[in-house]
Amino acid sequence: QIMLLTDPEIESSLLISSDEGATYQKYRLNFYIQSLLFHPKQEDWILAYSQDQKLYSSAEFGRRWQLIQEGVVPNRFYWSVMGSHKEPDLVHLEARTVDGHSQYLTCRMQNCTEANRNKPFSGYIDPDSLIVQDDYVFVQLTSGGRPHYYVSYRRNAFAQMKLPKYALPKDMHVISTDENQVFAAVQEWNQNDTYNLYISDTRGVYFTLALENVQSSRGPEGNVMIDLYEVAGIKGMFLANKKIDNQVKTFITYNKGRDWRLLQAPDTDLRGDPVHCFLPYCSLHLHLKVSENPYTSGIIASRDTAPSIIVASGNIGSELSDSDISMFVSSDAGNTWRQIFEEEHSVLYLDQGGVLVAMKHTSLPIRHLWLSFDEGRSWSKYSFTSIPLFVDGVLGEPGEETLIMTVFGHFSHRSEWQLVKVDYKSIFDRRCAEEDYRSWQLHSQGEACIMGAKRVYKKRKSERKCMQGKYAGAMESEPCVCTEADFDCDYGYERHSNGQCLPAFWFNPSSLSKDCSLGQSYLNSTGYRKVVSNNCTDGVREQYTAKPQKCPGKAPRGLRIVTADGKLTAEQGHNVTLVVQLEEGDVQRTLIQVDFGDGIAVSYVNLSSMEDGIKHVYQNVGIFRVTVQVDNSLGSDSAVLYLHVTCPLEHVHLSLPFVTTKNKEVNATAVLWPSQVGTLTYVWWKGNNTEPLITLEGSISIKFLSEGMNTITVQVSAGNAILQDTKTIAVYEEFRSLRLSFSPNLDDYNPDIPEWRRDISRVIKRSLVEATGVPAQHILVAVLPGLPTAAELFVLPYQDPTGESRRSAEDLEQISELLVHKLNQNSVHFELKPGVQVLVHAAHLTAAPLVDLTPTHSGSAMLMLLSVVFVGLAVFVIYKFKRRVALPSPPSPSTQPGDSSLRLQRARHATPPSTPKQGSTGAHFAI
């Protein structure tokens, strides 16, 4: 079957052939494919990832597609692994929620509805962190500024991965999950360009150090590349480049990192001259990068079907170098090496390693290649084209038994690609028989027991020139007697100079029994654990293996209570999961009492019943003191957690007077919706000041010393959210103000939202200008929140940019009288919508400022009200006796368009009374 994808800039289609390309059928797609993932077993099952982050599945080799999930993270979707799943059509994926969080989901490829999706990991995970590999699933969750890593083995419940206590990882990469064990590269807190290698137990939970300071680099796309190479065909064999005193050296291990050693350099060079290189001062160093391009070989290569042969580029000396690079080959699994070329070459394995093909790395056109039939000991030169070819890549036919390779390139920079098919079958006149092979025993510097077994391979005799068959790679294995070399240090233990594994300073061996109850038993570590996949038997196995031991009775100790995500915040009305952790104590015969601090408490009879945590919903916001008390017959312990319960802050409105006078304090108040959201921080900015004022209160007093327009900004920080609002306030020496009212029909169309109030304010101002001819610069209108609809009209002492033509107090008085006159004559009106006319009136002024009488205010507000009433009575007496009109002071409302429905206290500025002119009736402007 062949599938071709059309150019997405032209159309989105698939061309599918089921007869090796003889005929094709076109299938149009309603999405654009970015990548494809084929099932490892079912050849017709495909996952397609679209450019708009949607994942589709097909069970018919792309002929029909079905949407699985939207918002899928690139390259974070996987087929289930045969052996770990009974459902081969199960898909693992990482998807983003609407609010940007990532979560781990699983579902069936043809039935991925909301009801059928599962969430194996409760809660969110870090973006781009899901890895599904063999029997393991890995996710990452960052809390408290530190990443925490979780693993699921064979799809069981997730457990937190345990590194040495003070590793404090910044980054982690899973290198290998072969043989039921995890090999991971961890960058610790004090590392920048190196990583430490750790190896796990079978479940992938407990990790021990395998090698420190492995060199790393960045790939072409910024991805991290670890200088570690797993040798194919020999389990447990790795090569790594370690940084020592700013020098990078190559090390090899045959037992999964239990022991490492330097590589012995060749005895002679390519010309047969002796090489004077002595360990540990001089050794062979290899470049370990594997090519990501399938059409070019990397600078190191090995094959499962040729387990003893390793070909790599490198140099001889005290450290790895990018100059003086030669090609080297080992035909005994890294024990000895031979130099084969003085320049870099691409090397292909044909006939299961029976034939090695080498082609020079060069930017010049070539016509020759080199063949070796004796594992790189001797090489013959062959011509593969009559015209020199710029080689772009080389491909071997599928299958390691093949003797066909394809070279593709171009004759010139302007020519099309040329493909040259090279078939080496004619070189051999027969297939290999059993007598053409010899036995070869895997060893490490003469030690035959590797990973607890002696392994013998059959290799073709170097002098026999025949094509390999079924005997290639055949192996015999015999277990060895266990020795100390077959055991690594257990979790929490470190190997000392005498070879013993002793507890690290931070590790308490008795903590292994913390989940153990009196009457039960647990495995008491000896400080050693056998290397996973090691096949040794008897010997010291019994001595080094963990022993079952009765659980001791212990008083509770090291009690902690934390949230499952490690945060100290929870959201009102949502579940928060609390986890009780106990370092020591009998978990079965223990009474646990948890008080959530909101009047609710629960009790449990053992810790095992709380393994999934305690879920609780807080109905109110605030800071709650969560306490836990643990008691058993031997003692007790307690712990406290202060939990901040918040609700999302949706809106912030800055309440500020529209106009004020110089040298007068005004209140700026941040009004929140909802009003109770938890602990908040307020950041205030005045004008162009570069230094803000930071408070825990939502109100401040501000005084303006000069006239002009001033901006006030408040930012409110609530958890991870920061909202802000900005308002402008006009500052003048003096101004006039008047309350406006409207015909009742306006209330029917008032939704009481800021946007509507701003728009209506502009309409009223335009109507006043048209009715009176007063310049717009003198008028400011602000519709107030609430019903019935009301507004504040301000007459301002506008002056032109030159600073001249400033209006005097008499001018403002005349403008005020004109406005009142027009308002009293019903001359000011506007059309809200066709057929709906609204009249604007001058409202009657009260002699006292408006005060909020809601019970939430303190008694000081009532005292202020009484004081103002007495002032009002005094004004009335003055009026009676002096026969002068005491005009009220200008209102300085503390709300403006955009205010919430909360009624805030209003204060007015007292000024000397003025006498109204003859003919003025009705309402008056306040000065």
Side-chain angles (χ1 to χ4, degrees), residues 120-121 150-160 203 205 612:
F121 186 84
Y150 294 84
V151 62
S152 166
Y153 177 59
R154 292 185 175 174
R155 311 312 180 247
N156 292 314
F158 277 89
Q160 187 170 346
R203 294 191 302 128
V205 175
D612 296 330

Side-chain angles (χ1 to χ4, degrees), residues 403-470:
L403 283 167
I404 299 173
M405 61 178 284
T406 303
V407 182
F408 62 94
H410 49 280
F411 292 129
S412 70
H413 292 295
R414 295 183 179 181
S415 67
E416 296 180 346
W417 270 6
Q418 308 293 323
L419 275 73
V420 181
K421 181 179 178 181
V422 185
D423 191 339
Y424 298 97
K425 288 180 182 176
S426 59
I427 295 177
F428 302 104
D429 54 7
R430 66 182 180 89
R431 280 189 170 271
C432 295
E434 188 170 0
E435 60 270 16
D436 294 313
Y437 290 88
R438 64 180 178 87
S439 295
W440 174 78
Q441 183 168 16
L442 174 66
H443 66 94
S444 170
Q445 299 298 296
E447 174 56 56
C449 285
I450 295 177
M451 293 292 287
K454 295 179 180 178
R455 284 175 278 181
V456 178
Y457 296 82
K458 290 186 177 181
K459 300 178 67 172
R460 192 185 65 184
K461 296 176 181 178
S462 58
E463 68 273 11
R464 301 296 175 92
K465 200 172 183 179
C466 57
M467 189 166 62
Q468 300 200 79
K470 62 181 179 180

Side-chain angles (χ1 to χ4, degrees), residues 229-232 234-239 252-256 307 310 332-335 337 442 451:
Y229 181 76
E230 184 174 10
V231 178
I234 300 178
K235 295 298 183 184
M237 185 175 174
F238 291 84
L239 290 160
I252 189 170
T253 180
Y254 293 87
N255 52 11
K256 283 193 172 181
I310 308 170
D332 58 1
N335 283 282
W337 295 82
L442 174 66
M451 293 292 287

Side-chain angles (χ1 to χ4, degrees), residues 63 283 336 340 356 361 496 629 751:
R63 294 172 177 87
S283 59
T336 60
I340 53 177
L356 297 179
H361 276 184
H496 287 241
Q629 175 84 20

Side-chain angles (χ1 to χ4, degrees), residues 306 335 354 370 459 461 583 603 708 833:
N335 283 282
W370 300 82
K459 300 178 67 172
K461 296 176 181 178
E583 189 173 320
S603 298
K833 57 187 298 186

